[in-house]
Every structure is written in structure tokens, then in C-alpha cells.
Coordinates of all heavy atoms in Angstrom, one line a residue:
T1300 N 3.1 -15.1 19.0 CA 2.0 -14.1 19.1 C 2.5 -12.7 19.0 O 2.0 -11.9 18.2 CB 1.3 -14.3 20.4 OG1 0.8 -15.6 20.5 CG2 0.1 -13.4 20.5
V1301 N 3.6 -12.4 19.7 CA 4.2 -11.1 19.6 C 4.5 -10.7 18.2 O 4.3 -9.7 17.6 CB 5.4 -10.9 20.5 CG1 6.1 -9.6 20.4 CG2 4.9 -11.0 22.0
S1302 N 5.3 -11.7 17.5 CA 5.6 -11.5 16.1 C 4.4 -11.3 15.2 O 4.5 -10.4 14.4 CB 6.4 -12.8 15.7 OG 6.8 -12.7 14.4
A1303 N 3.4 -12.1 15.4 CA 2.2 -12.0 14.6 C 1.6 -10.6 14.7 O 1.2 -10.0 13.7 CB 1.2 -13.0 14.9
V1304 N 1.5 -10.0 15.9 CA 0.9 -8.7 16.1 C 1.8 -7.7 15.4 O 1.2 -6.8 14.7 CB 0.8 -8.4 17.7 CG1 0.5 -6.9 17.8 CG2 -0.1 -9.3 18.3
C1305 N 3.1 -7.8 15.5 CA 4.0 -6.8 14.8 C 3.9 -6.9 13.4 O 4.0 -5.9 12.6 CB 5.4 -6.9 15.4 SG 5.7 -6.5 17.0
F1306 N 3.9 -8.1 12.8 CA 3.7 -8.3 11.3 C 2.3 -7.6 10.9 O 2.3 -7.1 9.8 CB 3.7 -9.7 11.0 CG 5.2 -10.2 10.6 CD1 5.8 -10.9 11.6 CD2 5.8 -9.8 9.5 CE1 7.2 -11.4 11.2 CE2 7.0 -10.3 9.2 CZ 7.7 -11.0 10.1
V1307 N 1.2 -7.8 11.7 CA 0.0 -7.2 11.3 C 0.2 -5.7 11.2 O -0.4 -5.0 10.3 CB -1.1 -7.6 12.3 CG1 -2.3 -6.7 12.1 CG2 -1.5 -9.0 12.2
F1308 N 1.0 -5.1 12.1 CA 1.2 -3.7 12.0 C 2.0 -3.3 10.7 O 1.6 -2.3 10.0 CB 2.1 -3.2 13.2 CG 2.6 -1.8 13.1 CD1 1.9 -0.7 13.5 CD2 4.0 -1.6 12.6 CE1 2.3 0.6 13.4 CE2 4.4 -0.3 12.6 CZ 3.6 0.7 12.9
V1309 N 3.0 -4.1 10.4 CA 3.8 -3.8 9.1 C 2.8 -3.9 7.9 O 2.9 -3.1 7.0 CB 5.0 -4.8 9.1 CG1 5.6 -4.6 7.7 CG2 6.0 -4.5 10.1
W1310 N 2.0 -5.0 7.8 CA 1.1 -5.2 6.8 C 0.1 -4.0 6.6 O -0.2 -3.6 5.5 CB 0.4 -6.5 6.9 CG 1.3 -7.7 6.8 CD1 2.5 -7.8 6.2 CD2 1.0 -9.0 7.4 NE1 3.0 -9.1 6.4 CE2 2.1 -9.9 7.1 CE3 0.0 -9.5 8.2 CZ2 2.3 -11.2 7.6 CZ3 0.1 -10.9 8.7 CH2 1.2 -11.7 8.3
S1311 N -0.3 -3.6 7.8 CA -1.3 -2.4 7.8 C -0.7 -1.2 7.3 O -1.3 -0.3 6.6 CB -1.8 -2.2 9.3 OG -2.5 -3.3 9.7
I1312 N 0.6 -0.9 7.6 CA 1.4 0.3 7.1 C 1.5 0.1 5.6 O 1.4 1.2 4.8 CB 2.8 0.3 7.7 CG1 2.7 0.8 9.2 CG2 3.7 1.4 7.0 CD1 2.2 2.3 9.4
I1313 N 1.8 -1.0 5.0 CA 1.8 -1.2 3.6 C 0.5 -0.8 3.0 O 0.5 0.0 1.9 CB 2.1 -2.7 3.2 CG1 3.6 -3.0 3.6 CG2 1.9 -2.9 1.7 CD1 3.9 -4.5 3.5
L1314 N -0.7 -1.2 3.6 CA -1.9 -0.8 3.0 C -2.2 0.7 3.2 O -2.8 1.3 2.3 CB -3.0 -1.6 3.7 CG -3.0 -3.2 3.4 CD1 -4.1 -3.9 4.3 CD2 -3.2 -3.4 2.0
A1315 N -1.8 1.2 4.3 CA -2.0 2.7 4.5 C -1.2 3.5 3.5 O -1.6 4.5 3.0 CB -1.6 3.1 5.9
S1316 N 0.0 3.0 3.2 CA 0.8 3.6 2.2 C 0.1 3.6 0.8 O 0.3 4.5 0.0 CB 2.2 3.0 2.1 OG 2.8 3.1 3.4
Y1317 N -0.5 2.5 0.6 CA -1.2 2.3 -0.7 C -2.3 3.3 -0.9 O -2.5 4.0 -1.9 CB -1.7 1.0 -0.9 CG -2.5 0.7 -2.1 CD1 -1.9 0.5 -3.4 CD2 -3.9 0.7 -2.1 CE1 -2.6 0.3 -4.5 CE2 -4.6 0.6 -3.4 CZ -4.0 0.3 -4.5 OH -4.6 0.2 -5.7
I1318 N -3.1 3.6 0.2 CA -4.1 4.5 0.2 C -3.6 6.0 -0.1 O -4.1 6.7 -0.9 CB -4.9 4.6 1.5 CG1 -5.7 3.2 1.7 CG2 -5.9 5.8 1.6 CD1 -6.4 3.1 3.0
A1319 N -2.4 6.3 0.6 CA -1.8 7.6 0.4 C -1.3 7.7 -1.1 O -1.4 8.8 -1.7 CB -0.6 7.8 1.4
F1320 N -0.8 6.6 -1.6 CA -0.2 6.5 -2.9 C -1.3 6.8 -4.0 O -1.1 7.7 -4.9 CB 0.4 5.1 -3.2 CG 0.8 4.9 -4.7 CD1 1.9 5.5 -5.2 CD2 -0.1 4.0 -5.4 CE1 2.2 5.2 -6.6 CE2 0.3 3.7 -6.7 CZ 1.4 4.3 -7.3
R1321 N -2.5 6.2 -3.7 CA -3.6 6.4 -4.7 C -4.1 7.9 -4.7 O -4.5 8.5 -5.7 CB -4.7 5.5 -4.3 CG -4.5 4.0 -4.7 CD -4.4 3.8 -6.2 NE -5.8 4.1 -6.8 CZ -6.8 3.4 -6.9 NH1 -6.7 2.1 -6.4 NH2 -7.9 3.8 -7.5
R1322 N -4.0 8.5 -3.5 CA -4.5 9.9 -3.3 C -3.4 10.9 -3.8 O -3.8 11.9 -4.5 CB -4.7 10.2 -1.8 CG -5.3 11.5 -1.6 CD -5.6 11.8 -0.1 NE -4.4 11.9 0.6 CZ -4.0 11.0 1.6 NH1 -4.7 9.9 1.7 NH2 -2.9 11.1 2.2
R1323 N -2.1 10.7 -3.6 CA -1.1 11.6 -3.9 C -0.4 11.4 -5.4 O 0.1 12.3 -5.9 CB 0.0 11.6 -2.9 CG -0.5 12.0 -1.5 CD 0.6 11.9 -0.4 NE 1.8 12.6 -0.9 CZ 3.0 12.5 -0.1 NH1 3.0 11.7 0.9 NH2 4.0 13.1 -0.6
R1324 N -0.4 10.2 -5.8 CA 0.3 9.8 -7.0 C -0.7 9.1 -8.0 O -0.4 8.0 -8.5 CB 1.5 9.0 -6.8 CG 2.4 9.4 -5.6 CD 3.4 10.4 -6.1 NE 4.1 11.0 -4.9 CZ 5.0 10.5 -4.2 NH1 5.4 9.2 -4.5 NH2 5.5 11.1 -3.1
P1325 N -1.8 9.7 -8.3 CA -2.8 8.9 -9.2 C -2.2 8.6 -10.6 O -2.5 7.6 -11.2 CB -4.0 9.9 -9.3 CG -3.5 11.2 -8.9 CD -2.3 10.9 -8.0
H1326 N -1.3 9.5 -11.1 CA -0.7 9.3 -12.4 C 0.2 8.0 -12.4 O 0.3 7.3 -13.4 CB 0.1 10.5 -12.8 CG 1.2 10.9 -11.8 ND1 1.0 11.5 -10.6 CD2 2.6 10.7 -11.9 CE1 2.2 11.7 -10.0 NE2 3.1 11.2 -10.7
L1327 N 0.9 7.8 -11.3 CA 1.7 6.6 -11.2 C 0.8 5.3 -11.1 O 1.2 4.3 -11.7 CB 2.7 6.6 -10.0 CG 3.8 7.7 -10.0 CD1 4.6 7.6 -8.8 CD2 4.7 7.4 -11.3
H1328 N -0.3 5.4 -10.4 CA -1.2 4.3 -10.3 C -1.7 4.0 -11.7 O -1.8 2.8 -12.1 CB -2.3 4.6 -9.4 CG -3.5 3.6 -9.5 ND1 -3.3 2.3 -9.0 CD2 -4.8 3.7 -10.0 CE1 -4.4 1.6 -9.2 NE2 -5.4 2.5 -9.8
N1329 N -2.2 5.1 -12.5 CA -2.7 4.9 -13.8 C -1.7 4.2 -14.8 O -2.1 3.5 -15.7 CB -3.2 6.2 -14.3 CG -4.4 6.7 -13.6 OD1 -5.2 5.9 -13.0 ND2 -4.5 8.0 -13.6
A1330 N -0.4 4.6 -14.5 CA 0.6 4.0 -15.5 C 1.1 2.7 -15.0 O 1.9 2.0 -15.8 CB 1.8 5.0 -15.5
S1331 N 0.7 2.2 -13.9 CA 1.3 0.9 -13.3 C 0.8 -0.2 -14.2 O -0.4 -0.3 -14.6 CB 0.8 0.7 -11.8 OG 1.1 -0.5 -11.4
K1332 N 1.7 -1.2 -14.4 CA 1.4 -2.4 -15.1 C 1.1 -3.6 -14.1 O 0.8 -4.7 -14.5 CB 2.5 -2.9 -16.0 CG 2.7 -1.8 -17.1 CD 4.0 -2.3 -17.9 CE 4.3 -1.4 -19.1 NZ 5.4 -1.7 -19.9
F1333 N 1.1 -3.2 -12.8 CA 0.9 -4.2 -11.7 C 0.0 -3.7 -10.7 O 0.3 -3.5 -9.5 CB 2.2 -4.6 -11.2 CG 2.2 -5.9 -10.3 CD1 1.7 -7.1 -10.9 CD2 2.6 -5.9 -9.0 CE1 1.6 -8.3 -10.1 CE2 2.6 -7.0 -8.3 CZ 2.1 -8.2 -8.8
K1334 N -1.3 -3.2 -11.1 CA -2.2 -2.7 -10.2 C -2.8 -3.7 -9.2 O -3.0 -4.8 -9.5 CB -3.4 -2.1 -11.0 CG -3.0 -0.9 -11.8 CD -4.3 -0.3 -12.5 CE -3.9 1.0 -13.3 NZ -3.1 0.7 -14.5
M1335 N -3.0 -3.2 -8.0 CA -3.6 -4.0 -7.0 C -5.1 -4.3 -7.3 O -5.9 -3.3 -7.5 CB -3.5 -3.4 -5.6 CG -4.3 -4.1 -4.5 SD -4.5 -3.2 -3.0 CE -5.7 -4.2 -2.1
P1336 N -5.5 -5.5 -7.4 CA -7.0 -5.8 -7.7 C -7.8 -5.3 -6.5 O -7.5 -5.5 -5.4 CB -7.0 -7.3 -7.9 CG -5.8 -7.8 -7.3 CD -4.8 -6.8 -7.3

């Protein structure tokens, strides 16, 4: 249970980073060949 909670935190940080990436690096997102659906 402790592990699962901490993994949810890590997964959430990945998603939060993606939001920041889309906002700050739109040119890299547009050039990406592996966009998140």
C-alpha cells in the first residue's frame, strides 16, 4: 500500500511534467513522432 501511494505520486509528477512541457515547449510537442494520445 505504501509503495502504491508513492508510485501514484511519481506517475502524477510525470503527468504534471507533460502539462508543463506542452505549455513551455510547444515546438517540441509539434515535432514529436510519439505524441501522447
